[in-house]
């Protein structure tokens, strides 16, 4: 999706807990786990974390909730209540009571899909000029084992917020423009998170803990990993290529300074992502996740916040931001300062 320089990223913020646990502190090996540390929240709940991130983002540009026309909240794990809308809670708590709240459940690619959905609204709807996108996840016991519950990823807690604007007044020198977002889906891989389990009448019916490791192993025993690896390579090539084309950029353009990686296992990034990306773009791979862990739906937005905080782009320079999630889907966004 091409935005034609019409959308400004007015602010991006990540709320991450100060507490960090190393693999050694839980009797694990850093190389096996794939991370130096994970951020771990004891309190608050995920939607409350989302509100904190939103408040930081709103303060960055002196907006209030009343300035927001559209609010999208994305997550991949339990939000603290059953049969309930966390998006409406975030709208209420941030004062965005006039905004349309929408929940986005696209697993760990939810933040990227929410960003793309918000951009589509801003481009198409004349009465929507400012949007707030939040994400929040907390992978705590007893329902989830953040260290060993999955294959190829360990999970940190955190929340993000991004403010998008289609108003000319919000586009100033030094601001960040969202130029394009591309997403590719391979629904034939949805069984990796279903395994051989029959459909259940209630959550955690088949096991006391959510266990992607268990369902993935069942899937891989039946089908192997060749199909997934092939789909991953095709999807990454497709989203990066199409996002660059929509942004009217060549992958060898020296103004491309960074490609922000999803916060996955370090070995997976080194062996799969980085070699493929090096063939597609001159942008330098950047891994912000080694000391946080995978942030669920928040990887892309947290990467955007880190990109801005560390001032990795000079004016006129570009970056790519990648995200992936179960189902499976992959996304790539192109931004320019």
């Amino acid at each position: 999706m091409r935005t034609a320089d019409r959308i400004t990223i007015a602010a991006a913020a990540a709320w991450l807990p100060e507490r960090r646990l190393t693999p050694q502190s839980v009797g694990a090996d850093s190389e096996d786990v794939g991370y130096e540390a994970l951020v771990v929240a004891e309190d608050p709940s995920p939607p409350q974390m989302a509100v904190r991130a939103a408040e930081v983002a709103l303060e960055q540009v002196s907006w209030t909730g009343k300035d927001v026309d559209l609010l999208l909240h994305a997550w991949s794990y339990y939000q603290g209540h059953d049969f309930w809308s966390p998006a409406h809670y975030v709208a209420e708590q941030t004062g965005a009571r006039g905004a349309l709240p929408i929940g986005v459940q696209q697993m760990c690619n939810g933040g990227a899909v929410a960003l793309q959905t918000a951009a589509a609204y801003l481009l198409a709807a004349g009465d929507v000029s400012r949007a707030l996108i939040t994400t929040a996840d907390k992978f705590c016991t007893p329902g989830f084992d953040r260290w060993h519950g999955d294959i190829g990823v360990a999970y940190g807690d955190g929340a993000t917020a991004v403010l998008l604007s289609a108003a000319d007044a919000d586009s100033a020198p030094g601001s960040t423009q969202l130029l394009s977002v591309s997403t590719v889906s391979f629904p034939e891989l949805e069984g990796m998170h279903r395994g051989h389990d029959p459909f259940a009448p209630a959550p955690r019916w088949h096991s006391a803990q959510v266990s992607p490791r268990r369902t993935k192993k069942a899937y891989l025993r039946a089908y192997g990993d060749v199909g997934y690896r092939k789909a991953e390579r095709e999807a990454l090539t497709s989203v990066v290529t199409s996002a660059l084309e929509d942004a009217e950029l060549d992958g060898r353009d020296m103004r491309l300074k960074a490609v922000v990686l999803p916060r996955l296992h370090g070995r997976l990034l080194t062996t799969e992502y980085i070699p493929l990306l090096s063939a597609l773009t001159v942008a330098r791979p950047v891994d912000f996740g080694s000391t946080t862990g995978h942030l669920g739906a928040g990887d892309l937005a947290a990467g955007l916040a880190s990109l801005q905080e560390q001032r990795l782009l000079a004016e006129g320079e570009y970056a790519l931001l990648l995200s992936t999630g179960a189902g499976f889907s992959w996304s790539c966004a192109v931004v320019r300062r």
Side-chain angles (χ1 to χ4, degrees), residues 136-209:
D137 278 301
K138 183 178 178 180
F139 300 96
C140 57
T141 56
F144 205 103
D145 178 353
R146 70 175 71 247
W147 294 98
H148 306 294
D150 205 343
I151 299 173
V153 63
Y155 294 81
D157 304 332
T160 69
V162 176
L163 296 173
L164 295 185
S165 175
D168 291 339
D170 294 323
S171 179
S175 62
T176 302
Q177 300 297 121
L178 177 65
L179 300 182
S180 66
V181 187
S182 177
T183 298
V184 170
S185 177
F186 279 76
E188 57 266 40
L189 298 171
E190 59 80 23
M192 288 188 73
H193 287 75
R194 180 168 49 84
H196 301 315
D197 294 347
F199 287 91
R204 285 157 57 185
W205 186 268
H206 297 297
S207 62
Q209 283 191 330

Side-chain angles (χ1 to χ4, degrees), residues 2-330:
R2 183 171 181 265
T3 64
D5 294 344
R6 291 171 54 192
I7 296 180
T8 299
I9 300 172
W15 184 91
L16 301 179
E18 294 183 2
R19 185 185 182 204
R20 278 175 163 78
L21 292 181
T22 64
Q24 292 77 15
S25 68
V26 295
D29 180 83
S30 294
E31 188 172 341
D32 289 340
V33 171
Y35 299 85
E36 298 174 28
L38 304 182
V39 284
V40 177
E42 296 182 1
D43 201 45
S45 71
Q48 290 171 318
M49 293 192 296
V51 171
R52 293 188 183 186
E55 290 172 344
V56 173
L58 289 166
E59 187 176 347
Q60 287 179 7
V61 287
S62 301
W63 293 8
T64 69
K66 294 180 180 178
D67 296 310
V68 176
D69 305 309
L70 174 71
L71 188 151
L72 294 95
H73 177 70
W75 68 96
S76 60
Y77 185 54
Y78 189 60
Q79 295 291 284
H81 288 282
D82 300 314
F83 208 62
W84 174 73
S85 172
H88 287 73
Y89 174 87
V90 176
E92 164 64 20
Q93 294 296 309
T94 57
R97 299 181 184 95
L100 170 63
I102 299 175
V104 178
Q105 223 305 310
Q106 188 72 202
M107 298 299 288
C108 293
N109 206 33
V113 172
L115 183 78
Q116 187 169 0
T117 303
Y121 261 95
L122 292 174
L123 292 173
D127 58 344
V128 176
S129 61
R130 286 175 170 175
L132 167 61
I133 303 106
T134 61
T135 74
D137 278 301
K138 183 178 178 180
F139 300 96
C140 57
T141 56
F144 205 103
D145 178 353
R146 70 175 71 247
W147 294 98
H148 306 294
D150 205 343
I151 299 173
V153 63
Y155 294 81
D157 304 332
T160 69
V162 176
L163 296 173
L164 295 185
S165 175
D168 291 339
D170 294 323
S171 179
S175 62
T176 302
Q177 300 297 121
L178 177 65
L179 300 182
S180 66
V181 187
S182 177
T183 298
V184 170
S185 177
F186 279 76
E188 57 266 40
L189 298 171
E190 59 80 23
M192 288 188 73
H193 287 75
R194 180 168 49 84
H196 301 315
D197 294 347
F199 287 91
R204 285 157 57 185
W205 186 268
H206 297 297
S207 62
Q209 283 191 330
V210 175
S211 181
R213 176 178 290 271
R214 180 177 60 81
T215 59
K216 282 182 178 179
K217 282 187 173 181
Y219 181 92
L220 293 172
R221 279 194 299 268
Y223 305 106
D225 68 350
V226 175
Y228 172 78
R229 294 303 174 200
K230 181 175 182 290
E232 181 179 60
R233 290 190 293 270
E234 289 181 4
L236 284 171
T237 301
S238 177
V239 293
V240 171
T241 301
S242 60
L244 286 171
E245 287 178 353
D246 287 345
E248 299 182 342
L249 286 170
D250 183 273
R252 299 296 153 185
D253 193 316
M254 298 308 296
R255 294 174 297 173
L256 284 162
K257 294 301 179 181
V259 51
V260 180
L261 303 169
R263 301 184 184 215
L264 303 176
H265 193 293
R267 191 181 307 118
L268 175 62
L269 297 177
T270 301
T271 60
E272 300 289 338
Y273 274 71
I274 292 175
L276 178 61
L277 292 168
S278 67
L280 298 173
T281 174
V282 295
R284 176 175 64 91
V286 178
D287 177 17
F288 292 123
S290 63
T291 57
T292 67
H294 176 46
L295 299 176
D299 272 10
L300 187 144
L304 179 59
S306 296
L307 193 71
Q308 294 186 333
E309 289 168 6
Q310 298 185 25
R311 298 182 180 275
L312 297 186
L313 297 183
E315 193 159 343
E317 293 181 339
Y318 299 79
L320 305 169
L321 299 111
L322 296 173
S323 177
T324 182
F328 268 78
S329 62
W330 288 262

